[in-house]
Amino acid sequence: MAETAAYDILITGGTLVPMDASRRVIPDGALGIRGNSLAFVGARGDLPPGATGARTLDARGKVIIPGLINAHSHLAMTLLRGYSEDRPLEKWLETVWKIELAHMDAATVRAGTELAIVEMIRGGTTCAHDMYWHADAVGRAAIELGFRLANGPVLADIIGHTLAELEAEARAYFREFSAHPRLHGVVQTHSVYAAPPEMLAKTRDLAREYDLALVTHASESRQELATVREKFGKTPIEVLHELELLGPKTLLAHCIHLNDDEIATLAATGTSVAHCPECNLKIGSGIARVVEMAAAGVNVAVATDGPASNNDLDMFSELRTAAILQKGVRHDPTVMPAAEVFAMGTRNAARALGIDNLVGSLEVGKRADVVLLNFDKPHLTPVFDVYAHLIYSVNKADVETVLIEGEIVLENGAFTRLDEAAILARAREAVKVFG
Ligand SMILES: [Zn+2]
């Protein structure tokens, strides 16, 4: 089987954390990559004899993890970071929507998205969900910069388009991008309060027709619950359930204000949740019942939400917050064990977005989205439990090398295909009209 031992990229040494179902950790690991996929995952000693790589990466002293997956965001809002602060959610949305309506054209959205992608790759994130305007511009930015994206046009009443126009836009997007290996379509609507029932039903039907994940916001604030109660006489989860939007390919962002019945409904329908703890804290929306959701069997992923309400796209910091927040408010350090929190930023997020057959763990046949962390640092020495370090001690500055779709996009801290300085300059230029 000599022909199977030649890899395009061979990574050897270092602690390998595959995040497969076993949660095993391989102390002296190796990854063999062929094309865009993983062809070998295991101990270095188990590599086929004479294994070679056209490129070899020495990972000794490093930790090798699957790329982090940000399960919910609004990437172009990097341009609105710090613009409207210390306000309640509804007031914040009002200010932000005003700027967005006036200035967020396709070129500006693209500038903000590129900035987000630079930030995310530097932070070890290889895939993100995005919910924003000009989804086609966002998709093209991801393709050009080599980033993996779960994205699609948003059906919502706030954009001023008819339902037929929004549907046509969604179909055009899926037609243009469905064959691209780094782009994964999702069908999305903003929320129960920002879409009439026929728009929610259309979102459901499109998701079924294209067999894609369906993403929306739900139960984020008390005000939202009051608005939805007034309009429908129900909670957002009850409305979504009644209209048959819940299911194993549905991802709900936030889900802060849930009662026991609603958690049971999410579990019974197989619905996933994107938990955004830092955004929820900063906007003062509350603290999601993540421990109860996980115990009930709900698939919980962690996400940053938009960088204007977080205020970053840093998944390591988000995972740490997710872990310590629940321990603190419950007076119980045993909840949210580190390995399970790390799953919320990798395999659970992939499942939530309907792409767990491709990414979320390092397993043979999956796409090679890989991050090498430099553990030769004072705050990461010594190592007793690598998962504990990944959640409580690692930060984004420890990210050294990043591969997406089998391509090295960041090597020893330097970008290989994107021009970081030019992207930062375009972002500064784009916001000059915001006032
Ligand atoms: Zn959001």
Side-chain angles (χ1 to χ4, degrees):
M1 297 264 289
E3 74 281 3
T4 62
Y7 303 107
D8 295 319
I9 299 175
L10 180 59
I11 305 174
T12 56
T15 303
L16 179 60
V17 184
M19 287 313 286
D20 58 21
S22 75
R23 306 287 191 271
R24 66 185 169 146
V25 174
I26 302 167
D28 184 14
L31 284 183
I33 296 166
R34 202 170 286 132
N36 63 359
S37 300
L38 294 163
F40 178 88
V41 179
R44 185 156 62 122
D46 292 336
L47 272 169
T52 58
R55 281 288 322 268
T56 56
L57 300 179
D58 182 356
R60 283 175 296 176
K62 306 185 197 311
V63 169
I64 307 162
I65 59 169
L68 301 177
I69 300 174
N70 190 345
H72 176 66
S73 192
H74 313 274
L75 299 177
M77 293 183 81
T78 46
L79 298 182
L80 288 158
R81 179 165 22 211
Y83 187 83
S84 174
E85 297 298 345
D86 307 329
R87 293 178 179 186
L89 176 65
E90 287 71 25
K91 282 260 179 302
W92 178 85
L93 279 175
E94 216 173 275
T95 316
V96 164
W97 281 351
K98 208 178 283 175
I99 285 284
E100 289 178 327
L101 279 168
H103 300 299
M104 281 292 190
D105 57 16
T108 306
V109 166
R110 179 157 179 156
T113 304
E114 290 182 347
L115 180 63
I117 290 172
V118 169
E119 180 184 349
M120 288 189 291
I121 292 175
R122 282 215 175 280
T125 294
T126 54
C127 174
H129 160 262
D130 187 47
M131 178 189 282
Y132 211 65
W133 303 354
H134 302 292
D136 50 350
V138 175
R140 287 183 206 113
I143 289 171
E144 192 176 309
L145 272 50
F147 189 74
R148 187 179 304 287
L149 189 74
N151 186 33
V154 187
L155 281 72
D157 225 4
I158 44 181
I159 307 175
H161 293 161
T162 66
L163 181 52
E165 287 167 345
L166 293 170
E167 180 183 348
E169 190 194 345
R171 290 188 186 281
Y173 179 93
F174 299 134
R175 212 166 27 241
E176 177 174 352
F177 295 111
S178 65
H180 201 283
R182 285 184 178 87
L183 288 198
H184 310 287
V186 294
V187 182
Q188 35 194 0
T189 184
H190 182 274
S191 57
V192 165
Y193 62 90
E198 60 272 22
M199 198 174 272
L200 297 171
K202 178 58 74 180
T203 308
R204 172 201 65 206
D205 293 345
L206 285 170
R208 284 182 188 168
E209 181 185 333
Y210 287 92
D211 193 25
L212 295 172
L214 186 162
V215 185
T216 192
H217 296 107
S219 301
E220 181 177 6
S221 73
R222 291 210 181 95
Q223 179 63 47
E224 173 192 342
L225 261 68
T227 305
V228 173
R229 172 77 57 193
E230 206 170 290
K231 199 168 152 191
F232 295 95
K234 297 186 170 65
T235 69
I237 300 297
E238 286 168 347
V239 174
L240 291 168
H241 193 33
E242 190 175 272
L243 292 172
E244 296 176 32
L245 270 75
L246 302 182
K249 295 202 88 164
T250 294
L251 170 59
L252 305 181
H254 304 303
C255 290
I256 298 170
H257 304 284
L258 301 188
N259 59 38
D260 291 347
D261 289 345
E262 291 175 304
I263 291 175
T265 299
L266 297 185
T269 54
T271 303
S272 294
V273 169
H275 172 47
C276 311
E278 292 186 358
C279 166
N280 299 161
L281 288 170
K282 183 165 178 289
I283 301 270
S285 302
I287 296 169
R289 299 174 65 197
V290 176
V291 174
E292 284 87 348
M293 286 194 266
V298 177
N299 179 50
V300 179
V302 164
T304 62
D305 206 0
S309 57
N310 185 299
N311 275 6
D312 57 38
L313 295 162
D314 181 350
M315 281 294 292
F316 280 113
S317 131
E318 203 72 34
L319 290 167
R320 181 171 193 264
T321 303
I324 63 178
L325 175 61
Q326 297 294 328
K327 294 171 191 288
V329 295
R330 302 171 72 93
H331 306 274
D332 183 358
T334 67
V335 299
M336 303 287 277
E340 292 319 302
V341 176
F342 196 59
M344 293 178 180
T346 52
R347 55 186 294 122
N348 293 17
R351 184 177 147 198
L353 293 166
I355 51 175
D356 50 331
N357 57 326
L358 302 173
V359 291
S361 60
L362 302 176
E363 296 178 74
V364 170
K366 284 197 174 185
R367 305 288 176 80
D369 289 7
V370 184
V371 171
L372 272 60
L373 302 165
N374 183 356
F375 262 48
D376 190 19
K377 301 273 185 84
H379 63 282
L380 301 174
T381 303
V383 183
F384 297 108
D385 173 353
V386 70
Y387 288 112
H389 275 11
L390 287 169
I391 297 303
Y392 306 122
S393 305
V394 164
N395 67 62
K396 62 188 170 192
D398 304 322
V399 173
E400 198 172 74
T401 294
V402 176
L403 289 84
I404 301 175
E405 192 75 7
E407 178 190 349
I408 300 170
V409 293
L410 185 80
E411 186 166 13
N412 294 320
F415 284 105
T416 59
R417 67 183 274 174
L418 64 82
D419 184 343
E420 183 175 20
I423 288 170
L424 267 59
R426 278 202 292 278
R428 290 187 195 103
E429 190 61 33
V431 301
K432 282 184 178 163
V433 296
F434 285 10

